[in-house]
Amino acid sequence: METDIKVWTEKINELNKGKEKKYYILTMGCQLNENDSEKIAGMLKEAGYVKTERIEEADIIIFNTCCVRENAEERLFGKLGEVKKYKEEKGTIIAIGGCMMQEKHITQKLKESYKFVDIVFGTHTLENFPKDLYYALKENKKIEDILDIDGVVYEGVPVYREDKIKASITIMNGCNNFCTYCIVPYVRGRERSRNPQDIINEAEDLAKQGYKEITLLGQNVNSYLVYQKQKGEDVNFKVLVNGKEKQVNSFATLLKALDEIEGIERIRFVSPHPKDFTDDVIDAIKDSKHVCKLIHLPLQSGSTKVLKEMNRKYTKEDYLNLAKKIKEKIPEVTFSTDIIVGFPGETEQDFEDTLDVVKKVNFEQVFMFIYSRRVGTVADKMENQIPENIKHKRFNRLKELVEKQIEVQNKEYVGKYVDVLVEGESKNNKDILTGRTESNKVVNFEGSRDLIGKVIKLKIVSEHMWYLKGIYDKM
Ligand code: SAH
Ligand code: SF4
Ligand code: F3S
């Protein structure tokens, strides 16, 4: 579906004629949320706005919210308290969007206690943003633009990316899994996959602009097209990539098609679900030239009992067997994961099972979370909630194990040559360049700026907890 974004951005340009307008966006969520912010920025650019890092000088402030864990709420309401003065002093437009806006108790609270907010928009109505802004500006109206039903897939929304080397592409939206702890299926709706040709066109366009790495995004990225298939839709797409005709009917075939694009050196994807990690996907990664051999495989828990309560649809053994199978087919593979500690009913033994999987798989990176109750989810109603102090203790034990493993892994890099995509200058030191290995380790080194955007071989000379140090000896 195409949008009429142009019509509304032109109207805003007309309204603001002769005045320089600035926007400030705070992105509070995951990479999908980030990509949505890039779309909001893209639409605002077309409407004549420029970005500012200084919130006090913005004409419009946008908070793009997340609600996956509870601290997000405190953060948003804290921020709203801070920006109220800008509204009062100079009439700054305040807009809030994203996942949290799909929660009724939040929008209710906003209506009651934060009346100064101008625009509230949900996850299914992003492309209406220019229209909403136009009416907020012209008629000084309070706008609430939230759909309860699943949105449709919109194409043609402009995207403004600040990074010029790495880019994200959302390939599907929504989630059908209903893990019992998770709010995402309630705020993002059912799975909707984009047409593969639109994805390929976006990737080819990025390659033309000089991008070297793309990350495919979806709440459940490897069930790309699966729901359409289940509903009986025809998902046999003939696509054109790099001038060649290819068939795309699954996540694996999409990976294969994207692998053909010239100029894209690295392809990553997040987040896949272990239950959909089919053999054709493993083979596609193995046979590809550009798909990174780092696989993010969210574990959540290592206990079969907890996994069942979480509705994850795999056991500890299934997970370990999957990791083993991938490793057998792709020996150089590394893994990263997400883990939740303190899910209701998690016993000491269950937690030990999680530690056991961590030891066995030896992840390169672990995103660790303390279980957070979410209103409306099944797990929130479970009676056997774990006390905060136990959750924190387990979290620290897991962290300790992970950090020890990373230290050992980092030592193994020392003395080796690794391929690094050079991303730019280091944030803290302009004389140092920084990049990443295929396994997503940060490598800092000295070198000339013309290496930025290239994949080069670096020799690792020392390791530090969160980065490696390399030298460029042009080997
Ligand atoms: N769709 C992705 C990511 C979802 S959110 C996936 O399935 O992997 C990212 C991570 O947040 C999840 O993997 C999970 O580890 C964590 N998470 C989700 N809900 C949570 C909750 N209620 N409490 C703590 N962590 C949670
Ligand atoms: Fe949440 Fe589970 Fe869906 Fe991931 S797969 S978004 S954790 S419900
Ligand atoms: Fe948060 Fe929504 Fe992403 S709840 S994690 S921003 S999908």
Side-chain angles (χ1 to χ4, degrees):
M1 201 160 162
E2 291 288 333
T3 67
D4 46 9
I5 288 168
K6 267 211 156 55
V7 176
W8 297 103
T9 51
E10 271 165 26
K11 280 176 186 267
I12 296 171
N13 266 312
E14 192 63 31
L15 267 185
N16 289 338
K17 218 175 192 166
K19 294 177 239 158
E20 201 201 41
K21 295 283 179 183
K22 293 187 175 143
Y23 72 87
Y24 175 95
I25 303 183
L26 178 66
T27 305
M28 301 166 117
C30 62
Q31 292 181 69
L32 277 143
N33 190 246
E34 191 96 36
N35 193 226
D36 285 346
S37 286
E38 291 175 334
K39 289 176 186 159
I40 298 169
M43 292 187 278
L44 282 167
K45 289 238 166 216
E46 282 203 359
Y49 284 71
V50 293
K51 188 193 154 160
T52 175
E53 299 278 0
R54 295 175 48 203
I55 194 164
E56 67 277 12
E57 65 172 27
D59 298 284
I60 175 166
I61 296 173
I62 302 118
F63 295 130
N64 194 9
T65 62
C66 167
C67 53
V68 83
R69 284 170 292 275
E70 67 194 289
N71 51 7
E73 276 140 47
E74 290 152 34
R75 196 165 163 226
L76 174 69
F77 292 119
K79 284 278 162 204
L80 282 175
E82 283 171 35
V83 300
K84 190 174 180 206
K85 60 173 183 280
Y86 303 128
K87 175 92 232 165
E88 286 164 358
E89 284 164 15
K90 51 184 214 128
T92 309
I93 298 277
I94 312 287
I96 321 178
C99 293
M100 209 192 285
M101 298 307 111
Q102 296 292 141
E103 294 186 295
K104 285 225 164 59
H105 67 280
I106 297 285
T107 44
Q108 198 56 35
K109 184 166 172 178
L110 286 172
K111 264 187 230 149
E112 282 160 15
S113 311
Y114 297 86
K115 294 200 170 74
F116 61 92
V117 172
D118 297 281
I119 306 171
V120 172
F121 60 104
T123 57
H124 304 303
T125 44
L126 192 71
E127 58 291 333
N128 289 350
F129 187 71
K131 180 177 166 194
D132 296 338
L133 176 58
Y134 174 78
Y135 281 111
L137 286 168
K138 179 146 190 286
E139 295 175 11
N140 207 7
K141 261 192 186 161
K142 300 285 174 205
I143 313 274
E144 185 178 287
D145 194 348
I146 298 168
L147 268 184
D148 257 347
I149 53 156
D150 301 341
V152 284
V153 176
Y154 271 96
E155 294 298 338
V157 181
V159 191
Y160 173 69
R161 297 175 168 94
E162 258 167 49
D163 195 314
K164 300 297 170 213
I165 293 167
K166 300 195 296 183
S168 300
I169 303 177
T170 300
I171 66 162
M172 55 91 66
N173 228 315
C175 178
N176 292 0
N177 288 331
F178 290 93
C179 301
T180 55
Y181 51 82
C182 187
I183 195 76
V184 170
Y186 302 92
V187 296
R188 286 276 179 175
R190 296 296 68 72
E191 290 174 8
R192 305 172 301 281
S193 297
R194 284 176 72 193
N195 181 304
Q197 188 68 65
D198 290 322
I199 299 168
I200 288 161
N201 293 350
E202 188 170 346
E204 288 193 320
D205 184 46
L206 288 165
K208 270 194 212 110
Q209 291 176 49
Y211 281 88
K212 300 294 177 210
E213 178 174 311
I214 55 171
T215 300
L216 311 177
L217 300 180
Q219 275 91 358
N220 208 7
V221 74
N222 57 340
S223 55
Y224 176 71
L225 291 181
V226 167
Y227 189 38
Q228 269 101 320
K229 229 176 272 180
Q230 285 167 353
K231 287 192 291 187
E233 288 173 27
D234 180 12
V235 296
N236 289 306
F237 294 93
K238 271 199 177 64
V239 295
L240 260 183
V241 51
N242 203 8
K244 279 180 268 181
E245 200 175 90
K246 288 229 152 203
Q247 273 263 325
V248 173
N249 57 13
S250 62
F251 183 60
T253 44
L254 177 71
L255 282 180
K256 282 188 187 167
L258 291 167
D259 198 42
E260 298 284 330
I261 296 175
E262 253 172 70
I264 297 296
E265 304 268 1
R266 285 180 174 175
I267 302 171
R268 300 186 190 273
F269 56 89
V270 281
S271 266
H273 194 297
K275 78 171 166 56
D276 296 314
F277 221 103
T278 44
D279 287 351
D280 58 341
V281 175
I282 305 173
D283 291 334
I285 299 169
K286 185 182 85 180
D287 299 335
S288 77
K289 295 183 287 288
H290 304 113
V291 180
C292 290
K293 274 61 178 179
L294 163 71
I295 298 177
H296 185 67
L297 204 58
L299 169 67
Q300 312 303 0
S301 168
S303 152
T304 295
K305 184 198 95 196
V306 173
L307 286 167
K308 190 157 195 296
E309 294 283 304
M310 286 177 160
N311 191 28
R312 288 291 291 179
K313 302 182 179 87
Y314 53 87
T315 63
K316 177 184 182 185
E317 286 66 38
D318 293 338
Y319 186 94
L320 286 171
N321 287 338
L322 175 61
K324 189 163 156 246
K325 180 162 73 180
I326 298 173
K327 188 103 191 154
E328 277 166 6
K329 286 198 177 184
I330 314 170
E332 70 274 32
V333 78
T334 55
F335 293 101
S336 61
T337 199
D338 289 358
I339 293 175
I340 297 175
V341 298
F343 182 82
E346 183 189 70
T347 62
E348 190 55 29
Q349 182 53 49
D350 294 324
F351 178 63
E352 288 288 340
D353 276 331
T354 298
L355 296 180
D356 187 47
V357 177
V358 171
K359 281 180 200 147
K360 288 191 168 123
V361 181
N362 193 16
F363 298 104
E364 292 272 313
Q365 207 173 9
V366 182
F367 299 92
M368 296 169 262
F369 306 103
I370 290 175
Y371 169 70
S372 172
R373 295 175 79 158
R374 303 285 67 207
V375 176
T377 61
V378 173
D380 183 42
K381 296 183 194 82
M382 292 179 181
E383 274 164 16
N384 39 6
Q385 301 286 330
I386 305 291
E388 287 301 316
N389 61 333
I390 296 183
K391 286 197 224 170
H392 280 92
K393 271 195 193 134
R394 287 184 187 158
F395 181 86
N396 290 336
R397 280 168 64 197
L398 174 63
K399 189 162 165 264
E400 214 171 286
L401 170 65
V402 167
E403 287 182 358
K404 241 185 241 151
Q405 285 187 323
I406 291 176
E407 228 177 286
V408 175
Q409 288 161 12
N410 283 354
K411 287 206 168 79
E412 282 167 18
Y413 280 88
V414 176
K416 288 195 182 137
Y417 283 88
V418 288
D419 286 329
V420 171
L421 170 59
V422 186
E423 292 173 4
E425 292 164 351
S426 156
K427 272 201 192 91
N428 311 319
N429 184 346
K430 291 246 176 291
D431 297 329
I432 302 285
L433 294 180
T434 186
R436 278 175 195 267
T437 64
E438 192 173 329
S439 58
N440 218 22
K441 295 264 184 211
V442 174
V443 185
N444 292 340
F445 68 105
E446 281 174 34
S448 73
R449 296 190 84 259
D450 58 5
L451 295 173
I452 295 172
K454 294 195 173 123
V455 178
I456 58 169
K457 277 215 186 307
L458 288 178
K459 186 180 180 185
I460 303 302
V461 288
S462 65
E463 49 88 19
H464 308 262
M465 190 69 213
W466 303 118
Y467 69 97
L468 304 170
K469 219 179 227 171
I471 50 169
Y472 182 47
D473 60 7
K474 302 183 186 61
M475 269 280 293

